[in-house]
Amino acid sequence: MTFELGVYTFGNTPRTPDGRPGPTAQAVRDALEAIKLADEVGLGYFGVGEHHMRTMPLSSPTALINAAAASTKRIKLSTAVTVLSTDDPIRVFQQLATASALAPGRIEVVAGRGSSTITFPLFDHDERDYDMLYASKLALLMAVNNDENLTWNGPHRTRPLQDVTVVPRPEEPLRIWLGTGGSPNSVYRAVELGLPMFLGILGGTPEHWAQYGHAYRDAWAQAGRPAERADIAVAVHGFVAESGERARATYLDYEHRMMADGSAELGRPAPARTDRAAALGPGGMVFVGDPNEIADRILHLHGLLGHSRQILQMDVGGMPQRDFLRGIELLGTQVLPQIRAELGTP
């Protein structure tokens, strides 16, 4: 099987000398620089997330994907995730179809509900419609992806679509993943819709997440779907440095800062630093260490979960861009070759 290793980002606003967030525009430029490097070192995938925070300011992933599509050669590019509950699925499709015209076969979309309700007041939606909006808009995204001429109606629209033409069109339909943080309902929704499942993971253990893989594949088989199309991807926090000690010390500091800042913007308590330190160990789901450690831990999870793609969020909490870029370089030049050799993938 093919196994893809990659990176994802929500943007990482640099810090000023006194520790405050700097210009958010620089975070966008830094993200594009990172995508170009990931392409150069042979990584298979780069995901662009959606947040609307000063510290994580990539609020328009499709815009950055278009810039990256025009400036990369091989790497797959995807939203990770598109917060579909408060976005317009036709515009999401059109923007990614535009990117696909520039990078044929390399553009995907991960459609999620979102990890918070911060976008509902921003885009004038009612939080009480959370589930309805996501289900209806996902159905429309799938419909417009399948057919150029569209007749469709759903509960989130006040007017039905009647024989409308949606362009541009990619040469092949976009690959749509269902993004989930581990809700059992989302697992079964992915099966019901026949979609591959993209797990966004912040905690737990490899054994815990393997249960989601088993549940997904069991339900997939019971639905009579082809086994080879039951695909799982994993997004985790992680960081690679020359030594495991340096990687853990660096990442723990910046990840804790990211979580403290993000929780403050959302009005939530931040997780304890000691709790996150435990997650960095071999039994956790934060993949931090030297290249050999990271390769071993990814292979261990693959043996339990059988996933085809794993991506790491490394640029957190104002981490200096040079450290992020070095982590990408090590992931592509030292971690990926070990995984390919072990799994026998091209």
Side-chain angles (χ1 to χ4, degrees), residues 52-53 55 115-118 258-271:
H52 299 259
M53 302 177 181
T55 53
S115 59
S116 77
T117 56
I118 191 173
M258 178 203 73
M259 289 193 161
D261 290 346
S263 297
E265 287 195 60
L266 294 172
R268 299 173 179 172

Coordinates of all heavy atoms in Angstrom, one line a residue, residues 52-53 55 115-118 258-271:
H52 N -9.6 31.0 13.2 CA -9.9 32.5 13.1 C -9.3 33.2 14.3 O -10.0 34.0 14.9 CB -11.4 32.7 12.9 CG -11.9 32.0 11.7 ND1 -12.2 32.7 10.5 CD2 -12.3 30.7 11.4 CE1 -12.7 31.9 9.6 NE2 -12.7 30.7 10.1
M53 N -8.1 32.9 14.7 CA -7.5 33.4 15.9 C -6.2 34.2 15.5 O -5.6 33.9 14.5 CB -7.1 32.3 16.8 CG -8.2 31.4 17.3 SD -7.6 30.1 18.3 CE -9.2 29.2 18.7
T55 N -3.4 34.1 16.9 CA -2.2 33.2 17.0 C -2.2 32.1 15.9 O -1.1 31.6 15.6 CB -2.1 32.6 18.3 OG1 -3.4 31.9 18.6 CG2 -1.9 33.6 19.4
S115 N -14.1 22.5 15.5 CA -13.9 22.2 16.9 C -14.5 23.2 17.9 O -14.4 23.0 19.1 CB -12.4 22.0 17.2 OG -11.7 23.2 16.9
S116 N -15.0 24.3 17.4 CA -15.6 25.3 18.3 C -16.7 26.0 17.4 O -16.8 25.8 16.2 CB -14.6 26.3 18.8 OG -14.3 27.2 17.7
T117 N -17.5 26.8 18.1 CA -18.5 27.6 17.4 C -18.1 29.0 17.1 O -19.0 29.8 16.9 CB -19.8 27.6 18.3 OG1 -19.5 28.1 19.6 CG2 -20.3 26.1 18.4
I118 N -16.8 29.3 17.1 CA -16.4 30.7 17.0 C -16.8 31.2 15.6 O -17.0 32.5 15.5 CB -14.8 30.7 17.1 CG1 -14.3 32.2 17.2 CG2 -14.1 30.0 16.0 CD1 -12.9 32.3 17.6
M258 N 0.7 27.6 22.7 CA -0.4 27.6 21.8 C -1.8 27.3 22.4 O -2.8 27.9 22.2 CB -0.1 26.6 20.7 CG -1.3 26.5 19.6 SD -1.3 24.9 18.7 CE -1.9 23.8 20.0
M259 N -1.8 26.3 23.3 CA -3.0 25.8 23.9 C -3.5 26.9 24.9 O -4.7 27.1 25.0 CB -2.8 24.5 24.6 CG -2.7 23.3 23.6 SD -2.9 21.7 24.3 CE -3.2 20.7 22.9
A260 N -2.6 27.5 25.6 CA -3.0 28.5 26.6 C -3.6 29.7 25.8 O -4.6 30.3 26.2 CB -1.8 29.0 27.4
D261 N -2.9 30.2 24.7 CA -3.4 31.3 24.0 C -4.7 31.0 23.3 O -5.7 31.8 23.3 CB -2.4 31.7 22.9 CG -1.1 32.4 23.5 OD1 -1.2 32.7 24.7 OD2 -0.1 32.5 22.8
G262 N -4.8 29.8 22.7 CA -6.0 29.5 22.0 C -7.2 29.3 22.9 O -8.3 29.7 22.6
S263 N -7.0 28.7 24.1 CA -8.0 28.5 25.1 C -8.5 29.8 25.6 O -9.7 30.0 25.8 CB -7.5 27.6 26.2 OG -7.2 26.3 25.8
A264 N -7.6 30.8 25.8 CA -8.0 32.1 26.2 C -8.9 32.8 25.2 O -9.9 33.4 25.6 CB -6.7 32.9 26.5
E265 N -8.5 32.7 23.9 CA -9.4 33.3 22.9 C -10.8 32.7 22.8 O -11.7 33.4 22.5 CB -8.7 33.2 21.5 CG -7.5 34.1 21.4 CD -7.0 34.2 19.9 OE1 -7.8 34.6 19.1 OE2 -5.9 33.8 19.6
L266 N -10.9 31.4 23.2 CA -12.2 30.7 23.2 C -12.9 30.8 24.5 O -14.0 30.2 24.6 CB -12.0 29.3 22.7 CG -11.5 29.1 21.3 CD1 -11.2 27.6 21.0 CD2 -12.5 29.6 20.3
G267 N -12.2 31.3 25.5 CA -12.8 31.4 26.8 C -12.8 30.0 27.5 O -13.7 29.7 28.4
R268 N -11.8 29.2 27.3 CA -11.7 27.9 27.9 C -10.5 27.7 28.7 O -9.5 28.4 28.5 CB -11.7 26.8 26.8 CG -12.9 26.7 25.8 CD -12.6 25.7 24.7 NE -13.7 25.5 23.8 CZ -13.6 24.8 22.7 NH1 -12.4 24.2 22.4 NH2 -14.6 24.7 21.9
P269 N -10.5 26.8 29.7 CA -9.3 26.6 30.5 C -8.2 25.8 29.6 O -8.6 25.0 28.9 CB -9.7 25.8 31.7 CG -11.0 25.1 31.2 CD -11.6 26.1 30.2
A270 N -7.0 26.2 29.8 CA -5.9 25.5 29.1 C -5.6 24.2 29.8 O -5.7 24.1 31.0 CB -4.7 26.3 29.0
P271 N -5.2 23.1 29.0 CA -4.8 21.9 29.6 C -3.5 22.1 30.4 O -2.7 22.9 30.1 CB -4.6 20.9 28.4 CG -4.4 21.8 27.3 CD -5.2 23.1 27.5

